[in-house]
Amino acid sequence: MKFYKIVFHAIPQIIFAHSYRTANYDLTIKRPEGHMEITYIKEGAAERIDSKGQHIPLPAPSISTHIFSNERIYCRSTAPLHVHYTVALQGDWSVYPHSTDEILSCMQSGFLPSEKHPLCVLLPVVTDDIKTTSTLSPCFQEIISTHAGYSPFRTVSCLEQVFRIFSVLTDWSISQAVRSGQGILSPSNLTYCRRAVEYMQTALHRQFTVAELANELQISPAHLSRIFKAVTDCSPIEYMNRLKIHHARQLLETQDIPIREVAAQIGITDEKYFLRLFKKYTGMTTGAFKKAL
């Protein structure tokens, strides 16, 4: 199964939104770079043939995504009746084809503290999951109806539905990746790790032990350490240290306070230890960091 990871550099624009009903679906489409179409096929299975000659079956019902790169694609259906809804978007984005393994790696990196949280989504090339298609079918109809109207606020209403589609398809893509993963990245283990991180974020001002964290989650310390390492690629203590230094950086950027107070606010009483930790995770001293601001 193939997916697109799309990182948006700006809010996309809706170019058109339409419904199409025909007894003879046979169409060649060419779109420029920076053009995306998301299609819900309601009735009449079809086939898409891309510029490389790859045949992509499109069952009914299904939702499919195609990212254009100034190319022609060919769509056809031999069904006696074909019905689909399409929303076309244009914008500035970067596209990264992803496998389920790459989605899992992406999720692991997402656990790490970051200064930036880009607007990104995961979209399947095609999904015929009944629950997903039935959930999103009204969104396509709402976009088409609203986009054809005259309200000066229709763009906001349409984008609300577009992001609803993005959200549901992203969740479905992640669920497929997790199901294909090997044991350690099961939904329950990911939940334990998410809960562990949430607990750590409430304990930044003090020291804590893995035993305390495991007790909070009601699992053994050994099991917690094993799954946390597998999911985040670092131990719970190392992750906590990363969180603390991430918060320390924010304090140094926004407040003019002594280093010892910064350390105290993240639960470190030994100033020299804090300085060593800061340099380990940032690659610079606190003095150099403040000068670079």
Side-chain angles (χ1 to χ4, degrees):
M1 187 173 295
K2 296 181 179 179
F3 305 85
Y4 296 114
K5 176 185 175 184
I6 304 173
V7 179
F8 291 96
H9 308 301
I11 301 296
Q13 296 180 332
I14 299 175
I15 302 304
F16 66 80
H18 70 212
S19 59
Y20 195 77
R21 182 186 182 95
T22 181
N24 297 291
Y25 184 47
D26 193 326
L27 192 65
T28 299
I29 305 169
K30 183 177 182 180
R31 307 293 187 212
E33 189 87 24
H35 187 104
M36 175 198 316
E37 290 187 6
I38 306 175
T39 298
Y40 165 60
I41 294 181
K42 180 180 180 181
E43 187 175 345
E47 180 183 46
R48 183 171 70 217
I49 305 173
D50 64 20
S51 58
K52 297 179 181 178
Q54 295 179 317
H55 292 241
I56 302 171
L58 304 174
S62 69
I63 295 174
S64 62
T65 308
H66 189 76
I67 312 295
F68 288 84
S69 55
N70 196 28
E71 61 181 326
R72 294 181 187 273
I73 64 170
Y74 177 51
C75 300
R76 66 187 179 191
S77 174
T78 58
L81 178 63
H82 172 81
V83 181
H84 76 241
Y85 306 139
T86 293
V87 177
L89 304 171
Q90 179 179 291
D92 182 15
W93 53 63
S94 299
V95 181
Y96 307 93
H98 267 36
S99 63
T100 53
D101 286 344
E102 288 170 320
I103 290 176
L104 291 175
S105 295
C106 182
M107 291 175 64
Q108 288 175 301
S109 64
F111 272 92
L112 297 178
S114 174
E115 297 295 333
K116 297 180 180 179
H117 300 278
L119 174 58
C120 63
V121 300
L122 287 167
L123 303 179
V125 171
V126 60
T127 174
D128 59 354
D129 178 69
I130 295 299
K131 181 179 179 181
T132 301
T133 55
S134 61
T135 297
L136 294 182
S137 171
C139 297
F140 284 88
Q141 297 178 58
E142 180 68 21
I143 292 170
I144 292 168
S145 174
T146 304
H147 192 261
Y150 298 97
S151 168
F153 308 108
R154 64 184 182 275
T155 298
V156 173
S157 299
C158 288
L159 284 176
E160 178 186 6
Q161 296 301 320
V162 167
F163 279 94
R164 168 69 173 157
I165 292 171
F166 285 164
S167 178
V168 172
L169 290 179
T170 296
D171 287 345
W172 183 83
S173 300
I174 290 172
S175 72
Q176 297 307 296
V178 169
R179 287 175 186 171
S180 69
Q182 298 300 315
I184 198 71
L185 290 176
S186 67
S188 61
N189 286 346
L190 289 170
T191 298
Y192 278 130
C193 290
R194 184 176 66 250
R195 288 176 57 199
V197 170
E198 290 171 353
Y199 184 80
M200 291 179 189
Q201 290 171 336
T202 67
L204 286 175
H205 62 286
R206 62 180 178 82
Q207 295 293 336
F208 78 100
T209 65
V210 175
E212 174 190 341
L213 181 57
N215 183 64
E216 179 70 21
L217 301 178
Q218 297 184 333
I219 59 177
S220 73
H223 182 55
L224 171 60
S225 295
R226 183 172 66 88
I227 64 175
F228 199 90
K229 174 72 174 178
V231 171
T232 68
D233 201 31
C234 59
S235 69
I237 295 300
E238 182 184 358
Y239 190 94
M240 184 60 161
N241 286 337
R242 289 177 181 270
L243 282 180
K244 286 178 178 290
I245 296 306
H246 180 71
H247 186 59
R249 290 182 58 173
Q250 293 177 327
L251 291 173
L252 290 170
E253 289 173 348
T254 59
Q255 299 183 36
D256 184 19
I257 56 178
I259 296 300
R260 64 179 179 276
E261 187 173 335
V262 173
Q265 288 196 33
I266 58 172
I268 298 176
T269 56
D270 186 335
E271 187 175 333
K272 291 183 179 180
Y273 173 68
F274 166 73
L275 294 173
R276 291 196 303 271
L277 207 61
F278 190 91
K279 188 170 183 179
K280 175 182 177 180
Y281 290 110
T282 66
M284 64 178 72
T285 65
T286 53
F289 179 81
K290 294 185 74 172
K291 285 181 180 179
L293 294 177

